[in-house]
Every structure is written in C-alpha cells, then in structure tokens.
Amino acid sequence: MSARPQGGAHPRRTAAGTPVVCVRCGAPVIRQLVGHRAALRVIADAEPIPLADALQLLEPNRLIWCLAQRHGGGVELRWRCRHDCEHGAVIEHRCPPEVSEFGRAPEGAMW
C-alpha cells in the first residue's frame, strides 16, 4: 500500500472559481469545500471586506475566511490566517432578514 500524497492537488480541495448567485436572495456568493480532512461546505459573500468590518459581523456560527488569489488565476477560500495577511476577508453568507422571514427575494430583486 502506498503512502497518501501530501500537498499538491488534493482531490477534495476545490477552487472557489467564479461567484454564483444565492438562490434565495440573489446576492453573489462563493461556494467551496474548504479543508483537507474534515472539510466544510462553505457559502461566503463574494465581495471581500476589511478584516475589522468582518470581525464586527462575526457570530458563533458565522466564520470569517481568507480569500486568496490562486497562482493559476481565480480565488480560493482558506481558513482565516492567524496573522495579518494580504488576503481579503469574506464572511459566511446570510440572506437579508426580509428574505429569511418570507422565503423569497425582496420586491424589485432580480433572480
């Protein structure tokens, strides 16, 4: 039995690719499986925000992610760096309250 390869292209590690649209509210979001062993399915806002703003939006079940640029182009969600980094910060997506309450896009929203 051969050893499992380390680093490189991991079969469960996927790039975030291009933003898609949230099916409930129509906001641009990034979907990605983050992690190597216990991966999390993440849906995050597509627009990076300053880390200070992201920390104000932090909740117990709402994580902040680093949005890293890939060498081959595109972006990738990563666990938040433990130090100040040059990556943009994104936070897990939450639909606006009016959408969550009624289960549909607000009047005038295109989706």
Side-chain angles (χ1 to χ4, degrees), residues 2-100:
S2 63
R4 187 172 176 184
Q6 298 294 317
H10 193 277
R12 290 193 57 175
R13 186 175 182 154
T14 59
T18 58
V20 295
V21 177
C22 175
V23 295
R24 294 181 69 201
C25 68
V29 295
I30 296 172
R31 294 174 189 243
Q32 181 186 334
L33 194 61
V34 178
H36 290 285
R37 287 177 176 67
L40 296 176
R41 183 172 171 227
V42 177
I43 301 173
D45 292 333
E47 189 64 35
I49 58 175
L51 183 57
D53 294 346
L55 289 171
Q56 290 179 351
L57 297 171
L58 188 64
E59 298 172 5
N61 292 322
R62 190 176 190 190
L63 300 175
I64 299 172
W65 303 93
C66 279
L67 186 63
Q69 295 292 325
R70 298 187 66 169
H71 295 294
V75 294
E76 177 181 40
L77 293 175
R78 295 183 183 167
W79 295 101
R80 194 176 99 194
C81 298
R82 295 176 190 234
H83 54 80
D84 291 335
C85 65
E86 70 279 354
H87 305 136
V90 293
I91 192 158
E92 283 193 60
H93 176 69
R94 294 285 188 264
C95 292
E98 59 271 9
V99 175
S100 298

